[in-house]
Amino acid sequence: MRLLVTGLTGKVGASFLPAFRADERFAGWQVRAICNNRVVDDPDVEVVRASIADAGAMRSAMEGVTHVLHLASVKETPQLAMDVGVKGMFNLLEAFRQSGTPRQFMLISGDCTVGHIMHPYQEPITELSPLRPYPGSYALTKALEEAMLETCRVQYGINTCCLRAPWIMEKDDFRHALSFRAQFGGPPWTDLLSEADVARYAELDAVPLLRDRKGAPLRRNFIHVSDLVSAILAALDNPAAEGQLFNIAMNAPVDYAEIAEHLASTRGVPVVDIATPFHSNWLDNAKARLLLGWRPLVDFVELVERAWTYQRAPDDPRIVWYPG
């Protein structure tokens, strides 16, 4: 078997590769990576240096490939959105279906396609919920990718699988997501607060207790990268995943009041109450738990503890390749 991976140098890809190699089910598989701006430094990975927007390069790269794991994406970078999210996805699908060896094409998508905290839902968000992307090029391209994947499955009968993940956390990401200093993710605090308030809360090392549009503590969906990787491995080459879309999230959304209470009680962190225009939503993962036998291991307490106790080594600088 030969697995073609895009985005192997990113957050998910870097965690996926060692877990993939440690799984006995994939012993003897070969890995080929499409690299453009950053290159995988691994002698056991065959590197193809090309842009996925290059149709000819994708046809060549797909030779002998049985499985595709498409991780590559761009965030709010409109000038690249069409190249990566539309042309790139189309080129990969076209090359895969015509390769002569196609077995499974897996896409990693995001809850931006259903609007995460930007749109209200009166019930849990399931795989049957309609696409409701929020404004912006990232959500647009992810919605188009999901639609293209399903359309290609219907048109040509190829085996596809889509894993839809919320905000992916690793290392100290979650601590920075709650920081008023070096903020990770958005929208910027200055969209909700004055610059003076942001500076004051940063000086206090406070954490936010965000409230949704109704005034209740905001509930937002997250997933630790290790749990997303375990879901990818559970779905890879699994007949139960054929033609399926799965929500891959924690068993319950993170409640900002519970986070604030935990940090205040365990670390004495000051808490500030912040009103937002956002909606509390619940990304339901029951289908993945049922069909794949997958279980997320990182709950909100573990998410906090991992982020607050993580110590960066000198050769492990914090690099944010995109805002959130």
Side-chain angles (χ1 to χ4, degrees):
M1 301 292 178
R2 179 175 283 121
L3 173 66
L4 178 73
V5 186
T6 70
L8 195 56
T9 58
K11 178 189 296 186
V12 180
S15 293
F16 166 78
L17 188 57
F20 172 79
R21 285 179 170 157
D23 194 320
E24 293 182 355
R25 291 192 304 126
F26 307 111
W29 283 43
Q30 297 174 305
V31 177
R32 181 178 294 164
I34 303 294
C35 297
N36 190 17
N37 296 321
R38 290 173 280 154
V39 179
V40 177
D41 183 16
D42 190 313
D44 294 323
V45 173
E46 180 189 356
V47 173
V48 175
R49 194 71 185 266
S51 166
I52 61 173
D54 184 335
M58 292 307 98
R59 286 192 296 271
S60 298
M62 205 65 70
E63 183 178 351
V65 167
T66 55
H67 298 71
V68 171
L69 174 59
H70 186 24
L71 300 171
S73 65
V74 295
K75 287 286 182 171
E76 297 305 332
T77 314
Q79 63 268 30
L80 295 177
M82 293 300 106
D83 278 351
V84 175
V86 179
K87 288 173 63 178
M89 181 68 172
F90 178 78
N91 290 339
L92 287 168
L93 285 170
E94 283 291 283
F96 179 71
R97 73 175 183 83
Q98 298 178 56
S99 67
T101 54
R103 290 185 57 138
Q104 185 187 45
F105 190 112
M106 188 184 303
L107 168 69
I108 307 304
S109 186
D111 68 345
C112 59
T113 62
V114 288
H116 68 76
I117 57 173
M118 302 299 184
H119 295 311
Y121 287 83
Q122 302 306 313
E123 64 284 318
I125 302 172
T126 73
E127 291 80 1
L128 297 177
S129 299
L131 293 179
R132 299 177 66 191
Y134 58 79
S137 58
Y138 177 63
L140 170 64
T141 56
K142 281 300 177 186
L144 291 173
E145 285 178 357
E146 286 193 16
M148 291 168 70
L149 187 75
E150 175 62 10
T151 300
C152 194
R153 185 189 70 80
V154 171
Q155 287 181 309
Y156 304 109
I158 64 172
N159 176 18
T160 63
C161 175
C162 181
L163 305 187
R164 182 189 285 161
W167 198 357
I168 304 165
M169 297 284 113
E170 69 160 356
K171 299 179 179 178
D172 53 0
D173 279 351
F174 194 60
R175 184 171 185 171
H176 284 269
L178 298 178
S179 173
F180 290 99
R181 292 181 183 272
Q183 184 183 4
F184 171 54
W189 292 125
T190 49
D191 284 2
L192 303 171
L193 303 164
S194 69
E195 291 187 6
D197 281 342
V198 174
R200 180 159 55 93
Y201 298 150
E203 186 66 25
L204 293 171
D205 280 328
V207 295
L209 194 173
L210 300 182
R211 294 193 176 274
D212 64 21
R213 185 170 293 198
K214 296 180 180 179
L218 182 69
R219 293 184 300 175
R220 180 170 182 175
N221 299 281
F222 293 87
I223 189 72
H224 193 270
V225 68
S226 60
D227 283 331
L228 175 55
V229 166
S230 71
I232 293 172
L233 295 176
L236 187 59
D237 204 40
N238 186 345
E242 184 169 352
Q244 299 294 337
L245 165 66
F246 295 105
N247 289 335
I248 304 298
M250 296 165 65
N251 286 333
V254 166
D255 184 310
Y256 276 76
E258 292 181 345
I259 294 294
E261 180 182 358
H262 179 77
L263 285 169
S265 63
T266 61
R267 291 172 171 81
V269 176
V271 174
V272 294
D273 215 274
I274 299 176
T276 79
F278 306 135
H279 303 275
S280 292
N281 287 319
W282 189 307
L283 193 67
D284 190 288
N285 69 6
K287 182 178 175 182
R289 289 187 287 118
L290 175 65
L291 296 187
L292 299 179
W294 168 79
R295 299 289 185 275
L297 300 180
V298 179
D299 61 10
F300 89 88
V301 173
E302 183 71 10
L303 192 66
V304 170
E305 292 304 316
R306 291 193 186 192
W308 257 257
T309 59
Y310 186 80
Q311 298 293 321
R312 286 192 174 269
D315 61 348
D316 182 29
R318 178 170 176 78
I319 299 175
V320 178
W321 299 107
Y322 47 78

